[in-house]
Amino acid sequence: MAHETADRSWFEPMIGRFERRAFRYALMLTLNRSAAEDLVQDAFARLWAAQNTPSVEVGFKRWLFRTITNLARDRHRRRLVESAVRLMVPAPLNPEDEIIRKAGDRKLVAALQSLKLRDRQAIYLRYYEEESFAQLAEILHVKEGTARVIVNRALEKLRQRLNPSADITEVMA
Amino acid sequence: MTAAERDGDLESRLSLHAQAFNQLEPSPDLRTRIAARIAIRSEAGRRRPAVLRELALAAGVVLFAGTVAFGANYLRTVGANAPSQMGKAKSSDAMTTPQTLSPIIPGQVSPSQVEGILKTKVTTVRPLLLVTAVPAGASAFVTADANGYTVEYRTKTVDVVLSTGVSYLPPGGTPQQYRGVQAVYEATNPAAPEEGQFLSWTEPGQSSLSSSGVPYFLKVGGMTQAEFRQVANSIRPIGRS
């Protein structure tokens, strides 16, 4: 649902409503508090500037999360390029942020950290945001069936990261 | 254990972690910084139509010259008055009214208004600091609520931002003494400091969010190190009414 540009009185309540969820989503994608807050600021600014930002909550959230995803992906690519320029050393994993440690289950965090952005995104939306597959599909911009497959594959990868011996067994089998 | 059972366990584990993860809070001033980013973007958006208008004007001049040349050529060859083909000029109202979010995004003000706005809006932060060496001809942009603020002074070449809160600094800053406390200085590109310089410190004082001090950061673009120091050294607490 598009809105008219003249009236943006609805925008500020949206910030209040989604600021924290946007932060946590960005945090899951970047695993870095500063970077997450930077992405969130940028994402809201982009939605403010965009002509067709939906003014209803469901649509707004979808746009917001998509924007954060794109920004996180750009950041990830930029960091890979930067690390390649610096003596071709692969980008180090982000150090575990204090805030991540506070959330507990460090093994799970480390395993999540080792997943690709897309897999982390799928798991977060499904289990942390508790999105239905239909909603998840809209945010991921895929069909519902594909969203299910993405989540299941991400879960499988996560399970393998948490239990490397299972990996070996499967490879040997 | 079957794959389904394993996934079930993992799903439970994720759900448990989600409960803890969803308690994580962003920095208290994130909202203020979102507002600041929107204000900056809004300003950039207002500049863009001016560029578009200039391009449209240039295109119009070329079109007009072409039309005149074609018309002159046509008159010369036909030797008769051609009917006027002049159409009505369409007004392009690309310039929209600046949009502001109230109350957290007051938008552009004159530098002389900044102190008054901060005194009125920022009720919990002490001390309130302000840059006194304002770049000549700068416009001021203020974002403020009770718990924090961002003031930006901008000219065509220089950008000075003073804000409460913790900045996202690139890693590897240099510790140094500033205003009697430990601060961190960082240049985005040490070989070209005018690309961006940052200084962050915790000012002795209090706010509703912290009694141990007020985090501040200064961000400057388009200045040499000496000019940056001059701006940093001009920062003073403002009196409260």
Side-chain angles (χ1 to χ4, degrees):
Chain A
M1 179 179 169
H3 65 82
E4 293 302 321
T5 56
D7 177 21
R8 288 264 170 145
S9 56
W10 52 269
F11 198 91
E12 189 178 344
M14 291 291 190
I15 298 178
R17 213 157 293 151
F18 290 112
E19 170 195 6
R20 287 180 171 78
R21 292 165 80 174
F23 163 71
R24 288 177 198 128
Y25 180 53
L27 185 61
M28 178 55 77
L29 296 186
T30 62
L31 297 170
N32 179 299
R33 170 190 266 276
S34 301
E37 293 191 350
D38 200 49
L39 290 195
V40 170
Q41 290 171 64
D42 218 12
F44 275 110
R46 284 177 186 227
L47 262 60
W48 167 265
Q51 293 286 315
N52 300 320
T53 300
S55 57
V56 288
E57 279 191 27
V58 177
F60 185 89
K61 184 189 170 191
R62 193 168 63 234
W63 276 48
L64 178 64
F65 275 46
R66 272 192 201 161
T67 305
I68 290 171
T69 307
N70 291 337
L71 290 170
R73 197 177 293 132
D74 289 347
R75 176 180 178 273
H76 182 66
R77 284 182 190 142
R78 214 165 40 240
R79 285 167 65 89
L80 285 178
V81 170
E82 282 169 7
S83 67
V85 170
R86 286 181 203 142
L87 305 174
M88 306 298 285
V89 176
L93 288 174
N94 286 326
E96 259 187 64
D97 195 285
E98 184 198 352
I99 202 164
I100 304 284
R101 287 201 300 274
K102 280 181 187 165
D105 204 342
R106 295 179 64 174
K107 274 190 179 176
L108 182 64
V109 171
L112 282 167
Q113 192 174 2
S114 70
L115 292 181
K116 285 183 178 172
L117 198 74
R118 176 83 157 180
D119 295 327
R120 222 182 302 155
Q121 178 192 18
I123 284 179
Y124 181 83
L125 292 172
R126 179 68 181 149
Y127 295 101
Y128 292 68
E129 274 289 312
E130 297 182 336
E131 298 283 17
S132 68
F133 282 111
Q135 291 165 322
L136 203 149
E138 286 197 354
I139 295 173
L140 296 181
H141 213 42
V142 295
K143 289 180 181 172
E144 191 175 329
T146 310
R148 283 178 192 275
V149 171
I150 291 171
V151 169
N152 286 336
R153 283 184 184 162
L155 267 184
E156 180 58 22
K157 286 176 195 167
L158 186 62
R159 191 180 59 74
Q160 287 176 1
R161 300 287 202 284
L162 286 165
N163 186 9
S165 59
D167 234 353
I168 295 167
T169 311
E170 284 170 21
V171 170
M172 287 174 71
Chain B
M1 186 184 280
T2 65
E5 284 171 339
R6 283 199 306 264
D7 282 348
D9 285 349
L10 181 52
E11 286 178 327
S12 307
R13 192 169 168 183
L14 281 167
S15 297
L16 265 179
H17 185 251
Q19 285 174 20
F21 192 86
N22 287 340
Q23 300 299 315
L24 298 176
E25 290 289 325
S27 303
D29 67 333
L30 179 60
R31 196 164 182 209
T32 310
R33 287 189 283 141
I34 290 170
R37 193 73 64 94
I38 289 172
I40 290 167
R41 203 174 178 101
S42 297
E43 172 60 13
R46 285 200 292 277
R47 285 178 185 168
R48 207 171 299 124
V51 175
L52 290 175
R53 275 203 314 279
E54 282 165 19
L55 284 173
L57 184 64
V61 169
V62 170
L63 193 64
F64 177 74
T67 306
V68 168
F70 174 79
N73 189 46
Y74 182 79
L75 285 172
R76 222 177 16 246
T77 51
V78 175
N81 286 333
S84 172
Q85 296 295 315
M86 188 181 288
K88 288 182 182 174
K90 286 182 181 175
S91 65
S92 166
D93 187 20
M95 194 74 167
T96 55
T97 308
Q99 295 171 351
T100 57
L101 283 181
S102 177
I104 59 170
I105 304 180
Q108 185 172 353
V109 296
S110 78
S112 60
Q113 292 176 290
V114 173
E115 184 170 334
I117 292 171
L118 297 188
K119 279 181 180 174
T120 309
K121 293 210 166 200
V122 190
T123 52
T124 68
V125 177
R126 290 162 197 261
L128 295 169
L129 299 182
L130 209 51
V131 170
T132 56
V134 177
S139 303
F141 296 85
V142 181
T143 307
D145 65 15
N147 302 316
Y149 64 96
T150 297
V151 178
E152 179 175 16
Y153 298 103
R154 199 184 306 146
T155 70
K156 283 182 179 173
T157 55
V158 168
D159 192 28
V160 175
V161 178
L162 176 65
S163 179
T164 56
V166 182
S167 164
Y168 173 37
L169 291 177
T174 312
Q176 56 181 244
Q177 283 291 309
Y178 175 68
R179 296 181 60 81
V181 295
Q182 186 84 341
V184 177
Y185 168 80
E186 175 85 36
T188 312
N189 178 0
E194 62 278 4
E195 285 182 18
Q197 297 174 84
F198 305 83
L199 188 67
S200 65
W201 72 100
T202 300
E203 183 76 15
Q206 61 179 10
S207 71
S208 63
L209 308 170
S210 166
S211 57
S212 59
V214 184
Y216 272 95
F217 74 88
L218 173 69
K219 173 180 167 287
V220 169
M223 285 188 175
T224 63
Q225 270 189 310
E227 289 167 334
F228 177 80
R229 272 197 297 273
Q230 199 180 344
V231 170
N233 290 333
S234 80
I235 290 176
R236 303 269 185 276
I238 61 177
R240 299 186 66 85
S241 55

